[in-house]
Amino acid sequence: MIHASSHVQPADVAAHYDDLDHFYREVWGEHVHHGLWTERSQTVEQATRALIDEVAKLAHVGPGTPVCDVGCGYGGTARVLVRDYGARVTGLTISQAQQKYARELDPHSTNPVYLVRNWLENGLNSRSFHAVIVIESSEHMPDLRQFFSECARVLAPGGRLVICAWLSRQHPRAWERRFLLEPICREGRLEGMGTEGEYQQLAIDAGLRPVSFHDVSQAVKRTWTICAGRVARGLIQNPSYRQFLLHGTSFNRVFAWTLLRIRLAYGIGAMRYGILVAEKPGTAESG
Ligand SMILES: C[S@@+](CC[C@H](N)C(=O)[O-])C[C@H]1O[C@@H](n2cnc3c(N)ncnc32)[C@H](O)[C@@H]1O
């Protein structure tokens, strides 16, 4: 496991997403996750949507499925699952700015519901979801063991956990740790980056049964070429953007430059992107 050189607390993560609210929406839009390019000709929007569809398929999301979206960001995935799959979605984010954006889209929405809450103290009922999806938020959690145990607790028997995660290769070289992986964690406010094996073991330790693991690094890495291009364009075209990135005082602005490290880390295979699927043993009736 790669750890950031200083511990990352939920308050640091909240500040990261609140400070970078405009930056994220400008560079990523309302989906703060990788795209999945199954064909080279796909647009960013199609690739973004493809990742959501893959998660929905692996999590067995259908009409009426109660879904918990852990680290829901601006709620983009939650809205797709409600609108196009008929699911009932509860999304949790640690960022007030993200919840505000999601709520303003539909102030009276009861589905999805957006909560500002730390997943590690989520207070949700046990066995209440048939699917728990986690798109790129597990890396931020200060305690991965507790993260998995909360996922297992809120899942109903027979329910599925699907996690899309930034991972490190099994045995990163010393320089990859020092110049790429550790700085990516620190600057991106990630507590750490695990390996495929560590995620599988944590799922087992939480009482879940691993179903499958998909390494989709090659299909997602294009995301960072596109993001870096958007940042470069923003710097040229948008004065407020330039002001924030070049002259701002927030520590979190450094993340704009981290994009280049991430691109390189994927390029040489130091970073991986995986989708882990695990199931809670039992059947709906046994819950
Ligand atoms: C990279 S964003 C992904 C957002 C969303 N899943 C998406 O795909 O658009 C990471 C998300 O994890 C959330 N997050 C990080 N730590 C969290 C915690 N301890 N509890 C709840 N949410 C958390 C952040 O608020 C943010 O929404």
Side-chain angles (χ1 to χ4, degrees):
M1 183 98 189
I2 308 287
H3 284 286
S5 53
S6 52
H7 271 303
V8 176
Q9 294 304 323
D12 302 320
V13 180
H16 172 89
Y17 285 107
D18 288 345
D19 280 1
L20 295 177
D21 176 36
H22 283 105
F23 174 75
Y24 270 113
R25 279 193 281 125
E26 200 146 322
V27 175
W28 273 267
E30 64 172 25
H31 297 281
V32 190
H33 62 77
H34 287 69
L36 183 73
W37 274 268
T38 47
E39 289 165 30
R40 258 207 87 69
S41 59
Q42 280 172 319
T43 62
V44 175
E45 290 69 27
Q46 287 168 330
T48 304
R49 175 60 196 244
L51 185 80
I52 298 173
D53 288 335
E54 185 66 12
V55 168
K57 182 182 85 187
L58 293 169
H60 292 170
V61 175
T65 307
V67 178
C68 184
D69 184 355
V70 180
C72 66
Y74 294 104
T77 299
R79 286 186 289 282
V80 170
L81 297 183
V82 169
R83 191 184 61 230
D84 298 346
Y85 288 83
R88 289 187 287 119
V89 185
T90 302
L92 280 82
T93 170
I94 198 86
S95 155
Q96 300 269 1
Q98 292 182 340
Q99 185 210 39
K100 181 168 178 287
Y101 171 90
R103 282 207 172 147
E104 279 174 4
L105 290 179
D106 180 3
H108 304 295
S109 169
T110 51
N111 184 26
V113 172
Y114 309 104
L115 306 173
V116 176
R117 217 172 271 188
N118 178 0
W119 176 249
L120 302 183
E121 299 167 359
N122 63 66
L124 298 170
N125 290 335
S126 300
R127 304 176 169 219
S128 49
F129 296 97
H130 289 180
V132 172
I133 63 165
V134 185
I135 305 184
E136 303 177 29
S137 67
S138 61
E139 309 80 353
H140 288 299
M141 304 284 168
D143 184 340
L144 260 191
R145 198 164 280 284
Q146 197 185 340
F147 157 80
F148 271 94
S149 120
E150 281 303 297
C151 293
R153 184 183 66 78
V154 304
L155 267 179
R160 281 196 159 197
L161 169 65
V162 177
I163 305 178
C164 298
W166 301 21
L167 302 170
S168 85
R169 72 157 111 225
Q170 192 64 29
H171 300 294
R173 300 178 188 101
W175 76 267
E176 292 173 347
R177 282 176 175 264
R178 177 155 177 218
F179 296 109
L180 297 176
L181 302 174
E182 191 284 324
I184 290 169
C185 290
R186 182 168 22 90
E187 293 162 5
R189 295 303 198 195
L190 309 181
E191 171 59 30
M193 236 186 259
T195 62
E196 171 192 346
E198 286 164 339
Y199 267 63
Q200 302 258 22
Q201 190 57 50
L202 284 161
I204 293 168
D205 293 349
L208 300 170
R209 186 180 64 81
V211 173
S212 57
F213 177 83
H214 312 259
D215 183 331
V216 292
S217 313
Q218 295 308 316
V220 303
K221 69 179 188 191
R222 201 167 153 201
T223 303
W224 298 99
T225 313
I226 291 166
C227 284
R230 285 180 179 173
V231 172
R233 247 192 327 278
L235 280 170
I236 294 165
Q237 293 170 355
N238 189 335
S240 67
Y241 207 88
R242 223 166 23 238
Q243 177 64 28
F244 176 71
L245 289 186
L246 299 179
H247 308 293
T249 52
S250 165
F251 164 83
N252 290 311
R253 73 198 165 97
V254 74
F255 188 61
W257 310 112
T258 313
L259 305 185
L260 302 173
R261 278 194 225 269
I262 298 174
R263 179 68 192 83
L264 178 60
Y266 270 120
I268 61 172
M271 248 182 98
R272 299 174 72 199
Y273 190 96
I275 308 180
L276 174 75
V277 184
E279 212 162 63
K280 181 155 171 174
T283 57
E285 293 71 43
S286 66

